Amino acid sequence: MSHISANKDSLIKRVKRIAGQIQAVENALESDADCAKTLHLVAATRGAINGLMEEIIEEHARAHVADPSLSDEARNQGVEELLEAIRRYSK
């Protein structure tokens, strides 16, 4: 079982909450809601996505970088995967 699978239910709940937040942003835009309200909805959504990303990054780092049983090759691959994800996320 992968480390993501072990925490799958929690991650799926987070994603469903994020989907609800995205829907709220869409609804605000469609209903011409006040821009301040829409900004707050977008900020909350971004915060939720950041939280999801942080959790997955932490799990990846623990399982694919910090695990003492990993070979140097596996650890290096885990670091490269992590760095690539961070690069993509920060663009």
Side-chain angles (χ1 to χ4, degrees):
M1 178 185 306
S2 80
H3 62 92
I4 289 279
S5 295
N7 201 16
K8 184 167 78 172
D9 290 341
S10 171
L11 294 173
I12 289 173
K13 286 178 185 176
R14 277 180 172 260
V15 169
K16 287 183 179 186
R17 282 193 299 273
I18 291 167
Q21 288 174 303
I22 293 290
Q23 184 63 51
V25 171
E26 182 180 351
N27 292 343
L29 293 170
E30 287 178 345
S31 67
D32 294 325
D34 178 64
C35 62
K37 176 184 177 183
T38 305
L39 284 170
H40 286 284
L41 290 169
V42 171
T45 303
R46 182 178 182 190
I49 290 172
N50 287 343
L52 175 64
M53 185 71 168
E54 288 171 16
E55 185 172 345
I56 294 173
I57 284 172
E58 182 178 341
E59 290 179 13
H60 180 86
R62 290 184 190 284
H64 299 286
V65 178
D67 185 341
S69 69
L70 293 171
S71 68
D72 286 344
E73 182 180 341
R75 187 181 320 280
N76 288 337
Q77 180 180 347
V79 168
E80 289 304 317
E81 291 168 348
L82 185 56
L83 292 174
E84 179 61 24
I86 291 169
R87 283 186 206 107
R88 287 182 181 192
Y89 186 72
S90 63
K91 287 184 179 183

